[in-house]
Amino acid sequence: MNQLPPPQQMFQFVTGYWVTQLMGTAARLGLADRLESGPLAVTDLATKVGANPEALFRVMRACTAVGVFAEQPGRTFANTALSQTLRAAVPGSMRDFAIAQSSAGHWRPWERLEDAVKTGQRTTVPALGREIFEWYGNHPEEAAAFSGAMHDLAAQVSAELTHLVDFSSATKVVDVGGANGTLVSAVLRAFPQARGVLFELPHVLETAKKALAAAGVAERCELVGGDFFQAVPRGDVMVLKQILHDWNDAQCVTLLKNCAASLPVGGRVLVVEMVVSEDGTPSPAHLMDVNMLVMLPGKERTATEYAKLFAGAGLKAGRVLPTHSPFTIVEAIKAG
Ligand SMILES: C[S@@+](CC[C@H](N)C(=O)[O-])C[C@H]1O[C@@H](n2cnc3c(N)ncnc32)[C@H](O)[C@@H]1O
């Protein structure tokens, strides 16, 4: 529990966006990567990242105040366990997530949360002039950061997915809207008999191709571009991580019906989401739900609500598997 007096605690909440932009800036400048081989005087760090030394000192000191980076004598800074998560391509990296959340695609719609509360409608279109996935289609650098951000979150659950779910009889695993394909890559590495399909919007595929190659699974994973509201490639397991939460119930049923149509009898859909507890116990799902309110027509749901969506698509609800991450795996089966 936060032990600060309420006004000071509220100060922290209200200035949360200062911290968001500090983390985004530290991530974009690659500050933690520059400190990888040891502490650096801020003047040296500023030269390496092309920053104003005095301004960078103030930013580093503010990051230190929230536990990210440590200050040493002589205006020298070092990494901490927390700042390590701002490094690129390391286990536990949250660098792309920091960049994506502090960039226009999320930042501008969130500025209009009050409108979303009043209207019940997402604010992406008024704030960005278009839907979020169209925005990413027109902003390749931000889209790559978003796919990277999705990887940062997927990496928190990928190992448990392959331990909790037996893929040993799977022949083709489809990562539906899989971004960089973090989950299908984990399955393919753990289950050498399986092949994969990464199904995504066409603008995502170039970044995804590099990610699959880096994961060492490019030869076993086909890249397919398309629209999951039209059709989904055939396979015997469909993985949908943070897909259904983007869409309203009718859209989810359409998408699940498309999955069902491409599955054999006995095939499975694995929904990976921040599931809302049935009794309302607070969890990260409640914050993610407001992100959905602002960004998309979707919402976070309880396991019972997912079961209703499955029934609407003619699928049978299966196991609900909590993990040590914020994500739960909710299974559906295509019955005979
Ligand atoms: C919230 S992200 C989840 C990414 C990934 N499943 C993960 O969690 O790591 C939603 C993904 O759905 C993809 N997407 C959105 N609309 C789509 C559509 N109509 N057809 C296929 N993919 C779509 C987006 O490009 C994006 O990568």
Side-chain angles (χ1 to χ4, degrees):
M1 269 315 258
N2 194 322
Q3 294 302 316
L4 286 172
Q8 290 178 39
Q9 202 176 325
M10 187 52 65
F11 178 89
Q12 285 189 337
F13 289 164
V14 172
T15 57
Y17 79 99
W18 300 354
V19 180
T20 304
Q21 288 298 353
L22 276 172
M23 297 309 116
T25 299
R28 276 186 206 90
L29 291 175
L31 297 172
D33 285 310
R34 299 295 182 161
L35 297 175
E36 185 192 342
S37 43
L40 281 177
V42 79
T43 45
D44 295 337
L45 189 57
T47 304
K48 284 181 190 290
V49 303
N52 174 287
E54 187 59 28
L56 183 62
F57 170 67
R58 291 160 67 184
V59 162
M60 293 300 289
R61 192 173 54 177
C63 288
T64 299
V66 294
V68 181
F69 302 118
E71 189 176 355
Q72 298 178 354
R75 290 190 160 193
T76 292
F77 290 90
N79 269 333
T80 60
L82 212 44
S83 68
Q84 293 285 352
T85 67
L86 292 177
R87 286 181 53 201
V90 292
S93 176
M94 291 293 280
R95 177 173 181 264
D96 280 329
F97 188 73
I99 293 172
Q101 288 300 318
S102 58
S103 296
H106 277 73
W107 188 253
R108 291 187 199 158
W110 263 95
E111 194 184 354
R112 299 176 185 232
L113 172 60
E114 188 180 339
D115 294 345
V117 177
K118 287 181 177 160
T119 64
Q121 299 296 318
R122 60 197 176 280
T123 55
T124 35
V125 177
L128 303 173
R130 63 198 70 193
E131 300 285 2
I132 185 62
F133 296 121
E134 263 181 80
W135 171 266
Y136 285 137
N138 287 289
H139 295 81
E141 214 174 297
E142 205 180 323
F146 180 71
S147 281
M150 290 299 100
H151 163 83
D152 293 347
L153 300 189
Q156 296 181 7
V157 68
S158 57
E160 266 184 289
L161 174 70
T162 61
H163 285 123
L164 290 171
V165 179
D166 182 9
F167 290 88
S168 58
S169 61
T171 56
K172 193 169 271 187
V173 178
V174 186
D175 201 341
V176 180
N180 279 350
T182 305
L183 293 188
V184 72
S185 296
V187 173
L188 296 185
R189 283 199 303 269
F191 295 89
Q193 91 293 340
R195 297 192 69 82
V197 178
L198 173 53
F199 183 60
E200 256 296 352
L201 291 172
H203 77 259
V204 177
L205 297 182
E206 201 182 309
T207 310
K209 192 175 177 184
K210 291 181 200 145
L212 293 179
V217 298
E219 287 183 359
R220 291 163 58 213
C221 190
E222 192 186 345
L223 277 164
V224 180
D227 173 2
F228 49 44
F229 290 117
Q230 299 300 317
V232 169
R234 298 197 74 77
D236 49 7
V237 184
M238 307 275 170
V239 179
L240 279 75
K241 176 180 161 285
Q242 291 191 291
I243 298 299
L244 297 183
H245 83 154
D246 286 346
W247 307 108
N248 66 32
D249 286 1
Q251 290 167 316
C252 287
V253 169
T254 300
L255 207 165
L256 287 167
K257 279 183 178 168
N258 289 344
C259 291
S262 289
L263 281 170
V265 169
R268 287 173 289 170
V269 176
L270 300 171
V271 170
V272 182
E273 294 281 2
M274 292 186 184
V275 172
V276 175
S277 63
E278 305 284 349
D279 64 2
T281 305
S283 78
H286 292 179
L287 271 176
M288 186 59 84
D289 182 52
V290 179
N291 192 37
M292 291 304 108
L293 173 67
V294 165
M295 299 297 303
L296 280 150
K299 60 177 183 176
E300 303 303 330
R301 298 175 171 88
T302 63
T304 303
E305 288 171 324
Y306 282 114
K308 279 191 192 140
L309 297 180
F310 297 151
L315 292 162
K316 195 171 131 243
R319 297 171 301 167
V320 177
L321 305 166
T323 73
H324 293 91
S325 76
F327 299 103
T328 296
I329 302 161
V330 188
E331 194 179 48
I333 298 144
K334 180 168 171 176

